[in-house]
Amino acid sequence: MAKKNSYRQYLRQHLSDLIDETDLPTLKKDFMKARWLDQVLWLEGRATKERDRHYSLRLLTIIGGVIVPAMVGFKSTNPKIEEIVGWTAFGLSQAVAVSAAIEEFFAHGEKYKQFRNTAENMKIEGWQFLQMAGPYSQFESHDDAYATFAYHVEQLIQKDVQGFVAQFEEKGQSKEKTPATVAQNAELALNNLNEKIEYQAQLQREAEERRRWEEEQQRLQSEFSVPPQPAVTNGEDVQTTPPVSLEDLPPLGAAAMTWFEEAEPEEPNQQESMNGKGNSEPAKPSVPQLLTPEQAAKIMDCPLADCQKYLPGVLEALQEYDILDKQVLIGLLATVRVETNGFKPINEFGGPKYFTKHYEGRRDLGNVQPGDGAKYHGRGYIQITGRANYRNYGKKLGVDLENQPELALDPEISAKILACYFKDRGVATAAKVGDWRKVRKLVNGGYNGWDVFSKYVEKAKAVIG
């Protein structure tokens, strides 16, 4: 419970800080906190409670459904033991039936879905307003867009209330159900348990098979791979970047990509090779169009114009780093949607006061000089943050990001940072095998934003997969 409260307190504080950074009058800021923010936190709390109740009842039903048949078939030479087991099986079967009936009557699973859906829609609406994106991109300021935001918030709340009213009406119409009907539904639930258990076992077997496959790939790679040789540029060796373990990963946003303290040296003429300016550079091959701007806009819930402008550069960057793949594209789209709330390189949400508060003096980010906190705030598709990261990726790309951090908002450079990160950090490898939780872990350092991320993975799979 302390962990849940801690997350809600963090969410309240983080969103309150962002609201305070807007140009809204004090009265309107108070409305956002009292109406929108409190509603988001309340929906988060209710969704968690309904989820826990649903899982508890379903777990009792599943476990009981597995144990009861075994107890019924139990035989013993001791009649007393057999009688005890028989009565225990009877009691457990009644508990299973009651659990199934309670879940059906109170519909905790349906309530969880509704609360979670409304909470995510409210958060999406708030992020779009704070970022001035989506339906708010046509306004000049937050104050101008406030009336539209307030209207949308009230529409979402009204829709949520109407959903519950409809559920109560349906319950009222079903009051005539007899006890026999309830018992029949409980029996049907028990009959479906074996099928669901078999399905869970199949998922477990598939996960085990995938784990064995990954181990085999690692073994083969260690046996047959050639030790990396230093590249030669203008007759001088360029050392490769040492690998970084998964434990070094930080979360994005407040501590985005903090693991680079020192960048590996690269020769100045690498920029020419990346930009295709060498005299002997062969012509770039055509980029496979795995996704159209129209499809991307449908997946990302963002303006078509953004996809038309930025999608080609992202696909080109993925091909340049040799990771252009449907599965990788699915993971990339979901990641960008979580980090930017759309499909374009952006400045991190907040303002100078917010950046200074969270990033100033952060030696783990390389922010060792006054003003580094605001200067090296999050930018781009994946929110590169901190002087050390700007220096490191600048050298990787042959761009002076340390002295010109705003270049991280350039669509071409931002796309290359994103692709480079996906390849170097193993995100593309995890995406190719469909390990979406690992994809989120490698990018975020945890699972913040998992609900939104998984939602857009499914949307992308339906269109691309």
Side-chain angles (χ1 to χ4, degrees):
M1 180 63 69
K3 187 175 181 181
K4 294 177 182 177
N5 290 335
S6 177
Y7 169 72
R8 293 181 65 187
Q9 290 172 3
Y10 161 77
L11 193 63
R12 178 187 293 275
Q13 183 62 46
H14 184 65
L15 293 177
S16 294
D17 289 344
L18 292 177
I19 292 172
D20 290 336
E21 292 295 333
T22 65
D23 59 359
L24 292 172
T26 302
L27 181 62
K28 294 180 180 179
K29 289 180 181 178
D30 291 341
F31 167 82
M32 284 194 67
K33 294 178 181 178
R35 186 60 168 166
W36 173 73
L37 180 54
D38 281 0
Q39 192 72 16
V40 168
L41 296 173
W42 182 82
L43 289 166
E44 284 282 344
R46 286 304 305 270
T48 301
K49 289 181 181 179
E50 295 298 336
R51 180 200 62 194
D52 293 345
R53 292 169 182 170
H54 172 67
Y55 286 169
S56 298
L57 292 170
R58 292 299 299 145
L59 189 61
L60 175 60
T61 304
I62 292 172
I63 294 176
V66 174
I67 296 176
V68 168
M71 297 180 72
V72 170
F74 176 79
K75 300 296 181 182
S76 174
T77 56
N78 189 328
K80 187 174 182 179
I81 294 178
E82 190 169 337
E83 181 180 2
I84 292 174
V85 172
W87 278 107
T88 303
F90 173 75
L92 186 56
S93 66
Q94 294 303 304
V96 168
V98 170
S99 175
I102 290 175
E103 170 58 28
E104 181 193 1
F105 182 80
F106 289 103
H108 293 300
E110 293 300 319
K111 290 179 181 177
Y112 162 62
K113 292 178 183 178
Q114 181 167 348
F115 282 128
R116 172 55 56 203
N117 182 65
T118 305
E120 292 305 321
N121 285 335
M122 290 282 283
K123 284 192 284 187
I124 289 172
E125 194 69 38
W127 285 126
Q128 287 180 331
F129 173 72
L130 292 171
Q131 186 189 354
M132 298 297 287
Y136 306 103
S137 59
Q138 59 184 319
F139 297 99
E140 295 295 329
S141 66
H142 289 97
D143 196 22
D144 293 338
Y146 172 78
T148 301
F149 170 72
Y151 173 76
H152 287 177
V153 169
E154 296 304 322
Q155 288 292 103
L156 289 172
I157 296 175
Q158 183 180 5
K159 182 179 178 181
D160 183 64
V161 173
Q162 289 174 345
F164 273 101
V165 171
Q167 286 186 7
F168 284 127
E169 289 179 350
E170 182 178 351
K171 290 295 182 183
Q173 294 173 359
S174 63
K175 283 184 179 179
E176 297 180 359
K177 287 186 176 181
T178 63
T181 304
V182 175
Q184 182 182 6
N185 290 335
E187 183 179 358
L188 290 174
L190 289 173
N191 290 336
N192 289 331
L193 283 177
N194 287 334
E195 295 181 6
K196 294 182 178 180
I197 293 170
E198 177 61 27
Y199 173 70
Q200 294 294 331
Q202 181 180 355
L203 291 179
Q204 185 175 359
R205 288 194 297 270
E206 291 177 354
E208 182 66 20
E209 182 65 24
R210 183 174 62 190
R211 184 185 63 80
R212 287 197 297 268
W213 178 85
E214 290 178 350
E215 291 177 351
E216 180 66 14
Q217 292 296 314
Q218 293 175 359
R219 184 184 66 80
L220 293 174
Q221 184 177 4
S222 63
E223 289 181 1
F224 298 105
S225 62
V226 179
Q229 301 296 326
V232 178
T233 305
N234 292 338
E236 298 181 5
D237 289 339
V238 179
Q239 300 298 323
T240 57
T241 303
V244 184
S245 64
L246 180 61
E247 287 74 16
D248 294 328
L249 286 168
L252 283 171
M257 298 186 291
T258 61
W259 46 89
F260 294 107
E261 288 293 333
E262 293 296 334
E264 294 296 326
E266 295 188 8
E267 297 300 329
N269 67 343
Q270 183 175 353
Q271 181 179 3
E272 296 182 2
S273 63
M274 295 191 66
N275 294 333
K277 295 180 180 180
N279 294 332
S280 60
E281 183 79 15
K284 292 183 179 180
S286 60
V287 179
Q289 298 303 305
L290 301 183
L291 186 70
T292 67
E294 290 75 16
Q295 291 173 322
K298 179 181 178 182
I299 293 170
M300 304 287 277
D301 294 328
C302 68
L304 175 59
D306 287 348
C307 297
Q308 291 172 331
K309 181 176 181 180
Y310 301 114
L311 178 62
V314 170
L315 295 177
E316 184 176 339
L318 291 177
Q319 177 167 274
E320 180 176 337
Y321 283 86
D322 197 26
I323 56 172
L324 182 55
D325 175 88
K326 286 185 177 181
Q327 291 287 97
V328 175
L329 190 56
I330 289 171
L332 180 142
L333 292 175
T335 296
V336 172
R337 186 60 176 76
V338 173
E339 303 304 331
T340 71
N341 203 37
F343 191 43
K344 61 181 178 181
I346 65 167
N347 282 295
E348 182 181 352
F349 303 138
K353 289 173 58 178
Y354 175 82
F355 302 143
T356 300
K357 176 181 177 181
H358 291 278
Y359 301 143
E360 189 70 14
R362 288 277 300 277
R363 300 187 66 86
D364 57 325
L365 292 172
N367 293 340
V368 295
Q369 298 183 18
D372 280 357
K375 184 175 182 180
Y376 298 105
H377 65 264
R379 293 180 177 90
Y381 290 114
I382 202 168
Q383 299 296 283
I384 177 175
T385 307
R387 178 187 285 272
N389 289 305
Y390 278 84
R391 180 194 310 125
N392 181 73
Y393 276 96
K395 291 186 176 182
K396 282 178 176 288
L397 273 61
V399 180
D400 189 7
L401 291 177
E402 184 174 7
N403 292 317
Q404 296 178 284
E406 66 278 359
L407 290 177
L409 290 172
D410 179 89
E412 180 180 357
I413 295 174
S414 183
K416 288 183 178 181
I417 292 173
L418 177 62
C420 178
Y421 176 77
F422 260 56
K423 182 172 184 177
D424 288 354
R425 304 296 297 169
V427 185
T429 302
K432 287 180 180 179
V433 297
D435 192 346
W436 305 118
R437 288 188 67 81
K438 186 174 182 180
V439 168
R440 188 63 192 147
K441 175 77 172 180
L442 288 170
V443 172
N444 181 252
Y447 300 105
N448 291 332
W450 169 254
D451 291 333
V452 177
F453 175 82
S454 58
K455 170 185 174 181
Y456 284 95
V457 164
E458 295 303 320
K459 291 190 67 175
K461 286 166 63 176
V463 176
I464 302 174

